[in-house]
């Protein structure tokens, strides 16, 4: 019996007869030869159907079989220097499992809306497939980093009654007569958890009713959020730096074929080495002024400012100590300048902008109550969260990294919508 193998592992079967179970990606013909590009989910291989090697029925089938038909192909694995994967298959038989109807996505150019409406099929295409393979490796790298560095995974709830990142982007839903929100961040739950476990992280979907249509915003995105007890802002920046170096190096190690398929400039990723520049908000505003970019001191940076700042460096840049007024309620005030928050945003290079937001948390009970009131939030709703400051309060810090923006940067994508399998955007809830 001929073994069914995965194309990804085809190198282990050179000279052997194998069976591939997959779909027809593309084909071309020249007289006595049909070249079938067959993909099986793991990779794509060229299968060569030579008239002299197969029955007339199989040769005829190979001639008319439609794009994305399901096929089982048997043949001999041959080394081939011209092949992108280094091998091709000399076909001995083809079995049609299911004939595909006329496939809507052809090699010709399609508009983004059309492709997004066919996202469930578009993910079969080589570029989209490569991006989602990198996503898989990126997420594995993230988990390995925290698991190997003594962090405990603590899952945060999705349904909550707290607004972590401001009240303007909340999705609400009825919860047996109460209002529940979809979580914007797991941070408020990681803070008590770090007092129980020391070093923790959560990783899950987060939701923001972003009414802006930008290339950086999704309404549902995945965030990983470490939180560490007895860690200050400097420690937080070291952690972010070490973590980013690790995950980029891992993707470079595991995803060369995918990055090559995406025509990513690998040298840009290889430049992601310690130390990352650390600049204060004040220094960043000076860079903007030198570059003649319009900016009001005291404001938060917008996408256009982040683009200019991140283009200024060949590796991620960490901008710390923003004005407290533009940041979330939970941030600790800088003891040297109470108008500044002990926070950090990490901007990815090449004009990408913010991929990480984090900082040191306010650990003083009274100061935090003050901030909750200033932000118009209910002290009652945050009573449990204030317990973190009631029972053994310590300096602590953490951050959140957005998976889609990070993946978009690593893969060199223009828009975050391609970095998640089924994107949710304003105006898109399907497929
Ligand atoms: O800067 P943000 O809002 O920080 C927090 O949520 C903190 N509570 C995290 C923490 O300290 N534990 O979001 C963190 C990251 C951003 O840097 C960005 O990468 C991503 O989450 N992000 C988004 N990604 C896609 N679409 C959106 N609408 C996003 N909003 C934030
Ligand atoms: Mg932020």
């Amino acid at each position: 019996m001929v073994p069914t193998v995965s194309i990804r592992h085809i190198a282990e079967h050179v000279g052997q007869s194998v069976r591939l179970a997959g779909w027809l990606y593309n084909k071309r013909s020249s007289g006595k030869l049909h070249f079938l590009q067959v993909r099986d989910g793991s990779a794509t291989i060229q299968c060569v159907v030579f008239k002299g090697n197969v029955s007339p029925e199989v040769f005829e089938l190979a001639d008319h079989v439609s794009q994305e038909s399901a096929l089982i192909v048997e043949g001999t694995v041959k080394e081939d220097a011209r092949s992108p994967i280094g091998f091709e298959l000399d076909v001995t038989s083809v079995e049609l499992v299911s004939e595909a109807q006329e496939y809507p996505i052809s090699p010709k150019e399609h508009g983004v809306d059309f492709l997004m409406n066919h996202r469930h099929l578009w993910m079969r295409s080589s570029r989209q497939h490569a991006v989602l393979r990198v996503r898989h490796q990126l997420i594995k790298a993230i988990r390995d980093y925290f698991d190997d560095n003594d962090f405990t995974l603590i899952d945060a709830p999705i349904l909550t009654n707290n607004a972590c990142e401001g009240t303007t982007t909340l999705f609400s839903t009825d919860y047996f007569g109460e209002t529940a929100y979809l979580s914007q961040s797991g941070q408020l739950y990681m803070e008590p958890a770090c007092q129980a476990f020391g070093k923790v992280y959560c990783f899950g979907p987060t939701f923001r009713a972003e009414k802006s249509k930008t290339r950086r915003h999704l309404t549902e995105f995945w965030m990983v959020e470490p939180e560490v007890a007895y860690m200050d802002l400097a420690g937080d920046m070291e952690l972010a730096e070490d973590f980013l170096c690790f995950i980029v190096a891992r993707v470079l190690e595991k995803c060369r074929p995918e990055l090559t398929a995406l025509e990513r400039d690998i040298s840009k990723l290889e430049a992601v080495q310690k130390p990352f520049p650390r600049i204060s908000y004040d220094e960043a505003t000076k860079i903007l002024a030198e570059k003649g970019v319009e900016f009001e001191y005291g404001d938060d940076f917008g996408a256009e400012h982040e683009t200019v700042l991140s283009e200024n460096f060949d590796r991620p840049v960490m901008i710390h100590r923003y004005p407290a007024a533009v940041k979330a309620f939970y941030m600790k005030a800088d003891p040297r300048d109470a108008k500044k928050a002990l926070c950090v945003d990490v901007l990815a290079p090449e004009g990408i902008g913010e991929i990480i937001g984090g900082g040191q948390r306010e650990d003083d009970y009274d100061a935090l109550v003050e901030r909750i009131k200033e932000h118009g939030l209910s002290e009652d709703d945050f009573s449990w969260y204030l317990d973190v400051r009631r029972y053994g309060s310590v300096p602590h810090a953490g951050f959140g990294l957005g998976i889609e923006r990070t993946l978009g940067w690593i893969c060199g994508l223009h828009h975050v919508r391609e970095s998640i399998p089924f994107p949710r955007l304003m105006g898109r809830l399907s497929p």
Side-chain angles (χ1 to χ4, degrees):
M1 171 85 182
V2 180
T4 304
V5 304
S6 138
I7 301 174
R8 186 161 282 261
H9 297 294
I10 206 81
E12 296 154 30
H13 303 278
V14 182
Q16 297 171 12
S17 276
V18 299
R19 234 167 168 242
L20 305 177
W23 296 263
L24 182 70
Y25 190 62
N26 212 339
K27 80 175 161 58
R28 63 190 172 86
S29 296
S30 71
K32 290 182 180 155
L33 291 167
H34 298 307
F35 300 96
L36 309 183
Q37 305 294 328
V38 174
R39 52 167 203 88
D40 71 351
S42 77
T44 302
I45 191 169
Q46 173 156 281
C47 300
V48 184
V49 186
F50 173 57
K51 197 167 186 177
N53 285 351
V54 295
S55 68
E57 294 75 30
V58 166
F59 192 73
E60 170 57 24
L61 172 67
D63 187 31
H64 72 245
V65 64
S66 57
Q67 187 188 352
E68 289 301 329
S69 288
L71 302 174
I72 290 177
V73 184
E74 283 187 20
T76 313
V77 181
K78 241 182 50 185
E79 272 184 87
D80 187 289
R82 292 159 304 173
S83 151
I85 63 164
F87 303 92
E88 57 177 37
L89 196 77
D90 258 347
V91 175
T92 50
S93 85
V94 181
E95 179 196 330
L96 180 63
V97 177
S98 161
E99 170 118 50
Q101 298 180 18
E102 194 177 339
Y103 193 63
I105 304 177
S106 57
K108 72 164 200 239
E109 291 279 310
H110 295 283
V112 171
D113 246 8
F114 178 88
L115 291 168
M116 277 295 160
N117 287 337
H118 294 85
R119 181 63 174 167
H120 50 295
L121 301 177
W122 192 25
M123 63 190 353
R124 302 182 188 191
S125 301
S126 60
R127 269 187 68 84
Q128 299 307 314
H129 195 265
V131 171
L132 295 178
R133 292 284 309 190
V134 179
R135 182 182 169 106
H136 165 77
Q137 286 296 344
L138 174 66
I139 290 174
K140 179 153 168 33
I142 288 169
R143 291 203 180 279
D144 285 350
Y145 180 85
F146 290 119
D147 295 348
D148 294 349
N149 284 283
D150 292 332
F151 282 74
T152 300
L153 173 72
I154 300 290
D155 299 308
I158 301 291
L159 290 168
T160 86
N161 63 347
N162 297 112
C164 181
E165 297 298 327
T167 49
T168 56
T169 62
L170 288 170
F171 278 115
S172 56
T173 184
D174 174 61
Y175 193 75
F176 309 109
E178 260 186 84
T179 302
Y181 305 114
L182 298 182
S183 179
Q184 298 167 306
S185 159
Q187 179 194 324
L188 302 183
Y189 300 93
M190 293 306 101
E191 290 188 49
C194 84
Q195 290 184 330
F197 296 87
K199 295 159 81 172
V200 298
Y201 74 102
C202 63
F203 183 36
T206 44
F207 305 86
R208 305 215 183 154
E210 305 276 4
K211 285 170 201 86
S212 51
K213 290 186 180 169
T214 79
R215 61 192 186 85
R216 300 174 181 185
H217 289 93
L218 295 161
T219 55
E220 177 177 315
F221 61 98
W222 285 66
M223 183 154 54
V224 61
E225 299 179 84
E227 191 75 27
V228 181
Y230 287 104
M231 191 169 75
D232 62 7
L233 177 62
D236 201 30
M237 290 199 268
E238 267 172 51
L239 177 66
E241 178 186 59
D242 193 57
F243 166 67
L244 280 176
C245 289
F246 176 89
I247 59 175
V248 170
R250 174 71 81 77
V251 169
L252 279 170
E253 178 198 330
K254 297 282 182 190
C255 298
R256 283 289 163 142
E258 287 82 4
L259 294 171
T260 307
L262 293 166
E263 293 169 2
R264 182 67 170 114
D265 182 349
I266 303 275
S267 69
K268 294 271 202 299
L269 297 175
E270 285 169 342
V272 180
Q273 302 288 343
K274 289 182 208 178
F276 295 172
R278 291 154 165 79
I279 61 171
S280 66
Y281 170 89
D282 287 0
E283 288 166 315
T285 61
K286 284 184 194 131
I287 295 177
L288 292 176
E290 277 160 24
K291 297 201 177 280
V293 180
E294 211 175 302
F295 179 72
E296 182 85 28
Y297 183 87
D299 282 357
D300 200 355
F301 298 130
E304 67 281 18
H305 307 114
E306 288 184 359
T307 299
V308 172
L309 290 167
S310 71
E311 274 168 357
N312 206 42
F313 302 93
D314 71 339
R315 58 195 77 192
V317 54
M318 307 207 268
I319 305 182
H320 54 84
R321 295 181 170 80
Y322 285 64
V326 301
K327 288 291 182 185
F329 74 95
Y330 49 71
M331 296 200 176
K332 188 167 179 65
D334 184 352
R336 287 179 304 181
D337 174 3
K339 285 199 154 41
K340 297 281 166 46
L342 292 179
C343 64
V344 60
D345 274 9
V346 183
L347 313 189
E350 300 171 73
I352 294 292
E354 180 194 338
I355 55 169
I356 283 182
Q360 195 173 328
R361 320 307 187 185
E362 184 51 77
D363 50 272
D364 180 77
Y365 181 90
D366 295 325
L368 185 59
V369 170
E370 209 41 51
R371 298 285 289 160
I372 288 173
K373 285 189 196 145
E374 273 169 31
H375 279 251
L377 299 164
S378 140
E379 209 182 316
D380 268 0
D381 287 347
F382 285 94
S383 176
W384 66 270
Y385 176 68
L386 285 161
D387 277 354
V388 173
R389 283 76 184 168
R390 284 190 189 103
Y391 304 106
S393 189
V394 294
H396 60 287
F399 62 78
L401 167 117
I403 300 303
E404 290 75 19
R405 287 193 195 170
T406 306
L407 184 68
W409 161 50
I410 291 176
C411 291
L413 306 178
H414 169 70
H415 197 298
V416 282
R417 65 186 161 218
E418 287 179 38
S419 58
I420 184 162
F422 295 100
R424 295 291 173 255
L425 300 148
M426 195 184 165
R428 179 159 301 282
L429 194 55
S430 168

